[in-house]
Amino acid sequence: MADKPAAAPAPDDTAQRDKARFEDLLKTPAARSTGRVALASGAALDYAVSAEFLPVVLGGSEPGAGDPKAAVLTTAYTVAAATPRPVCFAFNGGPGSASIWLHLGALGPKRVVVPDDGSMPPAPYAVQDNPHTWLEHFDLVFIDPPHTGWSLAADADARKKLLSTDGDIACFSEVIRLWLTRHGRWGSPVYLCGESYGTTRGAGIANQLHELGVVVNGAILVSLAMDLQSIVFAPGNDLPYALFLPAFANTSQYHGLLQGPLAESPAAAREAAEAFVQEDYAAALLAGARLSDKTRSRVARRIAELTGLPRSLVEEKNLRISDQTYFFEALRHRGLIVGRLEARSTGPMAASRTRDWEFDPGIEAIAAPYTMAAMGYFRDTLGLALEQRYMVINGDVNRGWNWVRGGESEARRMGFTCTSTDLAQALRRNPHFKVLAASGRYDLGTPYSASDWSLAQLDAPATVLQRVTHRYYDAGHMMYTRQADLVQLKADLAAWLAA
């Protein structure tokens, strides 16, 4: 007779194991290393690296409020100097993503090199020196949120609190405050760099830190996602249909789907789409069923021209082309899916040509190379030899995220998450705070055109908005994977800092 399967561990046993693992992380000694990187300018930097788990204690008067709620991994690169150097705290998004993309893609002294065209390189994978590291301008601290990387919440209650928009902002703000205190860096100018949901987080942190007495000099927001209404296709929300269209046109031009003047250049396609949205399309969406047959026909024809999609499909979709429709229909005739985070990338459809979203070709091309290179670097160079899985992307975190802000009242449960109000307030509160936004024109997760809209809606006077700069790049969500954009991003950063 076959043996009976082992019983699943009791919930109490699982909780005890998780608690023990959490406590072990806090006892883990900091991993330290040193390195030297040659810069593109010809100079060289000697740096120290320290990777440590910080205990996150959140404020409050409830019982146990003084106990750590999370063990958060920070990886810091510092350069010895006679006076305090600026320090930049960097993080990615998701929610549910570790910070290796910015860490080993653009900012750190080591990076993973992948093909410029967004395709997947063959193994093996390893980090290389990054002559365009931002270490030239700041000391760098990379933060992995709870339940990404090796970071962990203390228990189920802490996890529930931390895996939320407001809880996450509070957690990161405390990590930054604690790091400044432990390392004696209260005399350093402070900067933030967030990517994707990291911009949602970063906008909130910029304002929250002000409450903690930490002045933020500037924020670099890569692939902007402060206003979820601008990028989430949902019933009754027509905004993304208008804001994505210029990015669709740009992508269609790249893949050879356009004709006539629209096909001449990406700029021609973008500018035509932007004009159409402003002059016709937004009004057509607002009109809905009140649109005349003649106007509906004209709008459908123009959308088809700008995207390369069949006019019949545009009409079938009621003039509304969602991201999912575009991914599966734009290159269906070639049997290809268009990438979301890197729209220059494509992947083969199943033989049955289904419309099931099984993977994003834009992230598949770099996820494994980054993961394998990072694991080798963490273990062999930094000395982080933990055997638990490093969660590069934790889907459970994303699926379980609490997007509600400011409490649980009925009124606050309505609508889309927004932190652009936080950023506008931070800009108004601190006359020296400035923002650099960076957008990839082939990003169909957070399109450049949606970012344009979001920045234009900031609730601040024109004199304040002069401190906001927006720059564009000819790649996707992680535009720095393309060498030319890596170089340009660094140059734009230097110019922004000097301004």
Side-chain angles (χ1 to χ4, degrees):
M1 176 179 287
D3 293 337
K4 293 182 179 180
D12 286 348
D13 293 341
T14 300
Q16 287 298 322
R17 283 202 300 270
D18 289 346
K19 184 70 172 177
R21 181 183 165 203
F22 167 75
E23 292 173 348
D24 286 344
L25 290 177
L26 291 181
K27 295 175 186 175
T28 302
R32 303 185 190 280
S33 183
T34 58
R36 181 180 178 87
V37 61
L39 302 175
S41 64
L45 287 176
D46 293 308
Y47 60 85
V49 193
S50 175
E52 60 183 324
F53 288 93
L54 295 184
V56 178
V57 178
L58 301 180
S61 58
E62 68 275 5
D67 298 332
K69 303 302 180 187
V72 171
L73 178 65
T74 62
T75 306
Y77 295 84
T78 57
V79 175
T83 57
R85 278 166 49 90
V87 58
C88 179
F89 295 91
F91 34 84
N92 280 89
S97 175
S99 63
I100 66 168
W101 312 103
L102 287 173
H103 183 176
L104 299 177
L107 277 63
K110 301 286 185 181
R111 71 180 289 254
V112 182
V113 179
V114 295
D116 278 352
D117 63 1
S119 62
M120 183 175 180
Y125 309 111
V127 297
Q128 301 178 17
D129 283 348
N130 179 14
H132 307 287
T133 176
W134 292 14
L135 195 58
E136 183 175 3
H137 301 292
F138 322 98
D139 286 348
L140 299 167
V141 183
F142 299 96
I143 305 172
D144 286 344
H147 296 279
T148 75
W150 286 304
S151 299
L152 196 64
D155 51 40
D157 288 340
R159 176 186 173 109
K160 182 178 180 181
K161 185 172 184 177
L162 293 168
L163 303 192
S164 67
T165 301
D166 284 346
D168 178 76
I169 289 170
C171 174
F172 269 76
S173 298
E174 174 59 15
V175 168
I176 292 169
R177 186 205 64 80
L178 179 57
W179 193 93
L180 291 171
T181 299
R182 281 200 173 185
H183 296 272
R185 298 298 296 271
W186 283 88
S188 292
V190 173
Y191 290 83
L192 305 173
C193 180
E195 179 182 293
S196 194
Y197 183 82
T199 68
T200 320
R201 169 187 293 137
I205 294 170
N207 203 39
Q208 181 66 31
L209 283 176
H210 199 93
E211 300 291 334
L212 299 178
V214 180
V215 173
V216 179
N217 287 53
I220 303 101
L221 304 177
V222 180
S223 302
L224 209 60
M226 295 187 300
D227 294 288
L228 274 292
Q229 185 178 5
S230 69
I231 58 175
V232 175
F233 290 87
N237 181 29
D238 277 341
L239 191 57
Y241 295 105
L243 297 181
F244 272 62
L245 190 65
F248 289 158
N250 188 72
T251 301
S252 291
Q253 192 280 338
Y254 177 86
H255 289 295
L257 299 177
L258 307 186
Q259 297 180 358
L262 296 174
E264 291 178 0
S265 69
R270 288 194 307 271
E271 290 166 8
E274 290 166 6
F276 171 68
V277 168
Q278 291 285 343
E279 297 164 8
D280 295 293
Y281 190 38
L285 292 171
L286 185 64
R290 297 169 294 179
L291 205 61
S292 70
D293 290 343
K294 181 179 179 181
T295 302
R296 179 180 297 274
S297 177
R298 175 173 57 79
V299 169
R301 181 176 65 252
R302 189 55 172 166
I303 293 172
E305 291 171 351
L306 289 166
T307 61
L309 294 170
R311 179 174 170 179
S312 59
L313 176 67
V314 176
E315 292 173 342
E316 176 189 322
K317 296 296 181 181
N318 195 25
L319 309 182
R320 291 160 172 82
I321 302 301
S322 70
D323 53 354
Q324 295 293 312
T325 296
Y326 186 84
F327 299 149
F328 286 104
E329 303 302 330
L331 297 178
R332 173 168 289 273
H333 60 291
R334 301 179 194 171
L336 298 173
I337 305 167
V338 174
R340 175 175 175 265
L341 296 186
E342 175 52 83
R344 296 174 303 150
S345 296
T346 61
M349 287 182 167
S352 55
R353 299 289 178 92
T354 67
R355 292 175 172 84
D356 295 327
W357 187 247
E358 298 172 314
F359 62 91
D360 176 6
I363 194 67
E364 290 288 326
I366 61 174
Y370 268 70
T371 302
M372 295 190 75
M375 293 306 94
Y377 177 62
F378 287 156
R379 183 181 184 89
D380 301 337
T381 301
L382 301 188
L384 279 172
L386 283 71
E387 293 187 354
Q388 291 88 355
R389 179 183 174 188
Y390 183 90
M391 299 296 291
V392 174
I393 299 175
N394 190 337
D396 289 341
V397 168
N398 192 286
R399 288 185 288 271
W401 197 258
N402 178 3
W403 298 89
V404 177
R405 298 204 67 198
E408 296 291 336
S409 69
E410 282 296 329
R412 289 189 179 275
R413 272 204 295 269
M414 299 171 65
F416 297 86
T417 297
C418 168
T419 59
S420 62
T421 49
D422 301 65
L423 187 71
Q425 191 173 107
L427 283 161
R428 297 198 310 271
R429 295 174 86 172
N430 179 358
H432 306 293
F433 175 60
K434 59 183 182 179
V435 174
L436 172 63
S439 296
R441 292 191 175 108
Y442 294 99
D443 177 6
L444 296 184
T446 60
Y448 82 91
S449 37
S451 299
D452 282 339
W453 178 88
S454 189
L455 293 172
Q457 305 306 313
L458 286 172
D459 188 14
T463 52
V464 171
L465 295 182
Q466 288 175 359
R467 289 185 265 122
V468 178
T469 302
H470 194 187
R471 294 289 180 259
Y472 308 90
Y473 306 90
D474 289 321
H477 200 68
M478 289 90 158
M479 72 287 292
Y480 44 79
T481 59
R482 180 174 176 264
Q483 180 69 22
D485 287 327
L486 173 75
V487 174
Q488 187 60 54
L489 180 61
K490 172 70 181 301
D492 290 340
L493 172 74
W496 175 75
L497 288 170

